[in-house]
Amino acid sequence: MLGGPLARGRRTRLPPGEANLRDADVVVVNKENSASDEQIETVVGNVRDVNPDAEVLHADSVVSVPDPDEVRGKDALVVEDGPSLTHGGTEFGAGTVAAERYDATRLDPRGHAVGSIADALEKYDHLDRLLPAMGYTDEQIADLEATIRNVDPEVVVAGTPHSLADLVDVDAPIVDVSYRVAFRDTTVAEFLDAHADDLGL
């Protein structure tokens, strides 16, 4: 997949995205259920500009949590994958989608953030009521933990690729969001069957 319809700007210009796109036989445009028709058309147009012969598949990213009642109607602090939100240019992730799906109230960490987290929120001012998980160093993890404690949410909704609970110790329960790709026009099995020879299966 080349970025997604929610990424800001032309992701085709960023390595290795452009190289992968030029070499691709199939391109999956994912997260379409969270994007506008215009955003989807922009991504498909970018694909066609770079690789007009590629097959384009359309897909949704379906999010879920183990127990929706842990999130539904709660005051939630959403923590998303840091790199995707910051230099990756994405405006929100699976945590935000899950919080909105289950009618949680998303709390704003601005004014509660400390250290490197406060710096990130100031630098990336497009972020709306979510916290980027900046956990590369012990200091950053400590700043993340302190920020979550300062916000004092009823629940932390974690759209991070790794378990947030393994990194921070906070009073609020941490609910991990999972997501799966659901093709719109085919299934994984049908796709693999159709491309078995190309994939060496």
Side-chain angles (χ1 to χ4, degrees), residues 70-147:
E70 289 187 307
V71 178
R72 186 174 285 113
K74 300 289 180 66
D75 289 337
L77 177 61
V78 175
V79 182
E80 303 278 27
D81 177 46
S84 295
L85 294 171
T86 56
H87 48 279
T90 303
E91 296 187 2
F92 61 89
T96 300
V97 174
E100 293 184 350
R101 177 177 180 182
Y102 299 114
D103 298 318
T105 298
R106 293 191 293 124
L107 301 177
D108 191 347
R110 296 180 192 279
H112 303 281
V114 301
S116 59
I117 302 299
D119 293 341
L121 289 174
E122 182 177 358
K123 181 176 181 180
Y124 301 102
D125 59 3
H126 67 281
L127 302 180
D128 176 31
R129 291 170 296 156
L130 53 84
L131 194 61
M134 310 293 288
Y136 301 110
T137 67
D138 290 342
E139 181 180 5
Q140 286 177 325
I141 293 172
D143 290 343
L144 180 64
E145 181 177 293
T147 299

Side-chain angles (χ1 to χ4, degrees), residues 54-73:
E55 179 182 358
V56 176
L57 297 180
H58 299 271
D60 296 330
S61 182
V62 181
V63 303
S64 62
V65 298
D67 182 0
D69 287 338
E70 289 187 307
V71 178
R72 186 174 285 113

Side-chain angles (χ1 to χ4, degrees), residues 123-180:
K123 181 176 181 180
Y124 301 102
D125 59 3
H126 67 281
L127 302 180
D128 176 31
R129 291 170 296 156
L130 53 84
L131 194 61
M134 310 293 288
Y136 301 110
T137 67
D138 290 342
E139 181 180 5
Q140 286 177 325
I141 293 172
D143 290 343
L144 180 64
E145 181 177 293
T147 299
I148 294 171
R149 286 183 172 276
N150 288 346
V151 175
D152 192 25
E154 288 185 272
V155 64
V156 176
V157 179
T160 55
H162 300 290
S163 174
L164 186 63
D166 291 340
L167 296 176
V168 299
D169 181 16
V170 295
D171 295 331
I174 297 175
V175 175
D176 289 324
V177 178
S178 62
Y179 48 91
R180 63 180 177 82

